[in-house]
Every structure is written in structure tokens, then in C-alpha cells.
Amino acid sequence: MNILFIAPLPPPIGGHSLVSQALLDELVANHNVEIVNFNKKNFQEGLDSFKRIFEVLQILWDVFRKKMGSETIYLTISESFAGNIKDLFIYLICYRRLSKMYIHLHGGSIKKLLWDRYKFLFIINKIFIRKLAGVIISGRSHIEIFDSFIPRIKIHIVPNFAQEYLFLSEKEILLKFSVLQPLRILYISNFIPKKGFNEILSAYFALNDTLKQKVRIEFAGRFDADSQKMAFLEKIDGVEQITYHGIVDDDQKKLLFSQAHIFCLPTSFLEGQPISILEAYASGCVVMTTGQSGIRDIFTHGLNGFEVQERSTISITLTIEHILENPENLIKIALTNRRLAGKKYRMKTYNSSLKNIIEGMNHYSIE
């Protein structure tokens, strides 16, 4: 089969580019795949420079050239205003092949932050999306984005996955939870304010001195600007209990997850399905996160960890205090998360589900 694959690919590595690369590796083994990579080098939304405008024009030209002869088109759609305009041009370029196109939404904010604000954009998107072969989402909370204008049979749910190298055995998990002092808290994500890393930092500083000594916090990930990085490093300078590891490779990432008791992602984004939470499950971590709709598809307070309030330092502080005072249930939660990841969030399952959809074997649509 000839497939046109339009998605962001590493570098840099993020949740979106990571899952796209995994699917691409699966498809190229059995199909002729033409690739259009639209990854950006920073976190800024929009056409923030002449260079980016040129890059987008190049993307559209590549789509125009490579659509010829494609039997199926796979497109991961954007959730920013400029990104959606780009997607609309892609729909227009591929208009005669829309019935062979599948779009994949990895986030969860496109309706509330884009289509509800800009009705004209929603109307235009709806015209194109109605003609598509199908829409792929990561969880049931995102059905409402599309179900008012596309048949349910065309909406496919495919949960994300944790990378195989991060899965720990139950024996390894039992071993790491046999020592809970210090309590190891991990944040691995992009350093965007809405992801909540500043709230974690403030929550630590709000602990009393005795509790501070019982906690160790590890940060890892990419800043978009050196000035933001320097401001963060100044805040943690001289604090022995806090470490920033920068951008980590697979070996460092595995080590951090394998040592962590708590994975903390207090995000205020309208999240899709954060890969990092699934990675934490695979590594036998208890999760501390917010109640975003996409997160609630994979996370239940008390079962998988602790839900905290968005943009709330005190909520995180109180949760850390509670964990330190009541550590006895942590191992049960950690093992539950590992078993859940092993059952539902494997790369093999993800790739097989998407491959069947793209190949026209529609066994994963919503009933």
C-alpha cells in the first residue's frame, strides 16, 4: 500500500513525535511510505518567524508532490490557530483523496480553545472532516469533539503507549519501594509553565524543614529559551534535594523512572493522553496529576495515584505531606499501575491498532 504519512518526527523528542515515529517504523516495514515531517524546533505556537513560514510552505509543497498515488493518507492534526490553518490547506490539497485520509488528534484542546472560539474555523473544518475516512483519538473523553458531525463508526479510539524499555518487573518495583526515605518525586516533560513545574518547585519550598529533608525532586526536560532555564536554575541553586538533569537520553530516563516513587505532572493544559503518565505506570510509579479530561481516560484518583488542583501550589504541598505521613498504600498503587500498563499500554498494541485502521480493517471504531 502507498501511504502518505504527515506528522511530526524527532528531533526534538516529545510525546507527539515519539508516538508518530513508532507508528512510522511499523508502517515502513510493510508499505511504501512517503513522509512529510512538520516538527518544530521550539514550543512557540504560530508562524513566529519568516523561517517558520517558509517551513510551512515547504510542508504544503511536499504534501502536494507526495500525495500523487497515495492510497491512504495519515495526518496528525494541530491544535493551534496557525497549525489548523496549515491543516486546512492540507485538506484542500488532498481534497480528492479525503475519503482515503485518517486524521489523528493527540491533544484535547482543539474544540474548547480553537473551534469554540472561532466558529468560522469550526465550520470549515467540519466541511472537510465529514468527508474523511476516519478520525483517531486517544480516549473516550474526546469523542465529543467530533461526534456531532461525523458518524461514530468513523471515530477510532487508540490509547497511547509506554516505551518497552521502561517497563520494570514487579520484583524491581517492590525493591524500590522498600526504601521510601527520601521520597523520590520525578518531573519529566517540556518546561512549559502550563505543565506545572513551577508549582512543584513552590510546593517543595512550602514544606517545613523536616519534611524537605525527606523528599528528593528530580526534574528533566527541555526549556524553550536559555533565559527560562537560567531563571529556573537560580531558584534551585544550592538546594541539595532538587536536581535538574536537562535533556535526558533513554538510559538516563530509564534510571530516573526506575528510582522514582512519585511521578508528578500537575498540568493545566487540556491534555490528550500524556505519554509520560503511561511511562510512569510502566515504571511502577505512583502518579500525581490534575483532572484533565484526557488524563481521566487513564487516571483515577486513589487507584492510580493522587489528583491535585490545577495551578495550585498548596494542593501539591498537602498531597506530598499526606504521602509522607501515609506511605503504606504506595506500593499497592505502583503495582496496580504496572499491571495496567502491561495490559493496555504496550507499543505493540498501539501500532497494531493503528495499522489495522490505516489498512482499512476497522476493528477499533466506537461501538
Side-chain angles (χ1 to χ4, degrees):
M1 177 182 289
N2 296 321
I3 300 172
L4 176 57
F5 186 93
I6 312 168
L9 298 170
I13 294 177
H16 194 170
S17 63
L18 188 152
V19 295
S20 296
Q21 185 65 60
L23 175 60
L24 177 61
D25 291 342
E26 178 75 14
L27 293 176
V28 296
N30 299 287
H31 301 287
N32 178 34
V33 183
E34 291 283 0
I35 302 166
V36 177
N37 177 13
F38 62 77
N39 210 355
K40 295 183 69 173
K41 302 303 180 184
N42 58 44
F43 306 137
Q44 299 297 321
E45 294 183 354
L47 301 177
D48 53 354
S49 66
F50 286 112
K51 181 180 179 182
R52 184 56 186 168
I53 293 173
F54 177 79
E55 289 173 350
V56 171
L57 291 174
Q58 183 63 53
I59 288 166
L60 297 177
W61 172 244
D62 287 345
V63 172
F64 178 78
R65 288 190 305 110
K66 295 179 179 182
K67 71 181 175 65
M68 304 299 181
S70 59
E71 298 170 77
T72 298
I73 301 171
Y74 172 84
L75 167 68
T76 65
I77 60 175
S78 303
E79 297 185 280
S80 67
F81 185 92
N84 188 240
I85 297 297
K86 171 193 63 114
D87 291 341
L88 291 176
F89 276 108
I90 291 174
Y91 296 149
L92 188 61
I93 291 169
C94 300
Y95 188 79
R96 294 186 178 181
R97 288 178 166 79
L98 290 181
S99 63
K100 301 177 181 180
M101 177 184 286
Y102 292 91
I103 61 171
H104 195 164
L105 175 66
H106 284 284
S109 63
I110 193 168
K111 181 178 186 298
K112 292 182 179 180
L113 297 186
L114 194 63
W115 292 349
D116 287 351
R117 289 184 180 181
Y118 307 101
K119 295 297 183 182
F120 73 96
L121 270 187
F122 172 68
I123 292 171
I124 299 171
N125 275 272
K126 183 168 63 173
I127 291 171
F128 288 117
I129 292 173
R130 278 177 169 171
K131 300 178 181 293
L132 299 177
V135 172
I136 303 163
I137 55 177
S138 57
R140 287 190 168 271
S141 65
H142 300 134
I143 294 172
E144 65 172 1
I145 296 174
F146 299 101
D147 72 343
S148 66
F149 57 92
I150 190 169
R152 287 283 182 99
I153 196 172
K154 287 188 173 185
I155 303 176
H156 310 271
I157 295 179
V158 180
N160 286 329
F161 64 87
Q163 292 177 283
E164 291 298 319
Y165 74 90
L166 292 172
F167 278 81
L168 294 185
S169 68
E170 292 195 2
K171 182 179 179 180
E172 290 172 312
I173 295 168
L174 288 168
L175 182 61
K176 79 169 172 175
F177 276 88
S178 66
V179 180
L180 288 171
Q181 286 203 19
L183 181 75
R184 293 183 173 272
I185 300 173
L186 175 64
Y187 172 95
I188 292 186
S189 187
N190 293 325
F191 278 71
I192 303 170
K194 284 188 176 182
K195 289 289 186 179
F197 67 92
N198 283 316
E199 283 78 8
I200 299 174
L201 204 57
S202 297
Y204 170 80
F205 288 127
L207 294 170
N208 64 46
D209 290 341
T210 300
L211 294 183
K212 284 178 182 175
Q213 295 305 309
K214 296 181 179 181
V215 173
R216 181 169 181 82
I217 305 179
E218 315 276 353
F219 289 92
R222 182 170 68 104
F223 283 91
D224 194 33
D226 288 339
S227 59
Q228 297 171 354
K229 179 179 176 180
M230 293 306 298
F232 179 80
L233 291 177
E234 286 179 9
K235 291 180 182 179
I236 66 172
D237 184 41
V239 183
E240 293 182 1
Q241 302 301 107
I242 300 177
T243 303
Y244 171 63
H245 295 273
I247 301 172
V248 294
D249 60 23
D250 288 349
D251 290 337
Q252 294 170 304
K253 184 176 179 180
K254 179 178 176 62
L255 179 63
L256 289 172
F257 269 117
S258 69
Q259 294 176 337
H261 303 114
I262 310 293
F263 176 75
C264 189
L265 185 72
T267 176
S268 58
F269 267 121
L270 291 172
E271 297 278 357
Q273 194 175 90
I275 298 292
S276 57
I277 290 180
L278 303 183
E279 292 175 335
Y281 288 176
S283 303
C285 297
V286 176
V287 171
M288 188 191 307
T289 190
T290 51
Q292 296 292 338
S293 59
I295 290 176
R296 283 186 171 156
D297 285 332
I298 58 173
F299 174 86
T300 301
H301 175 68
L303 178 66
N304 307 114
F306 303 91
E307 184 175 318
V308 294
Q309 297 174 16
E310 296 175 21
R311 301 183 181 183
S312 172
T313 294
I314 188 62
S315 180
I316 300 172
T317 301
L318 291 174
T319 300
I320 294 174
E321 291 174 347
H322 171 78
I323 292 170
L324 289 171
E325 293 168 3
N326 304 274
E328 58 274 4
N329 290 326
L330 293 180
I331 184 60
K332 179 181 178 181
I333 296 172
L335 291 173
T336 295
N337 289 345
R338 170 58 181 83
R339 291 162 188 161
L340 179 64
K343 181 179 180 181
K344 295 185 64 176
Y345 305 123
R346 293 279 191 178
M347 183 189 294
K348 182 178 179 180
T349 303
Y350 176 86
N351 283 338
S352 176
S353 300
L354 281 178
K355 184 169 174 285
N356 284 337
I357 292 167
I358 292 171
E359 290 176 347
M361 300 169 62
N362 297 326
H363 301 311
Y364 297 88
S365 58
I366 298 169
E367 295 179 358

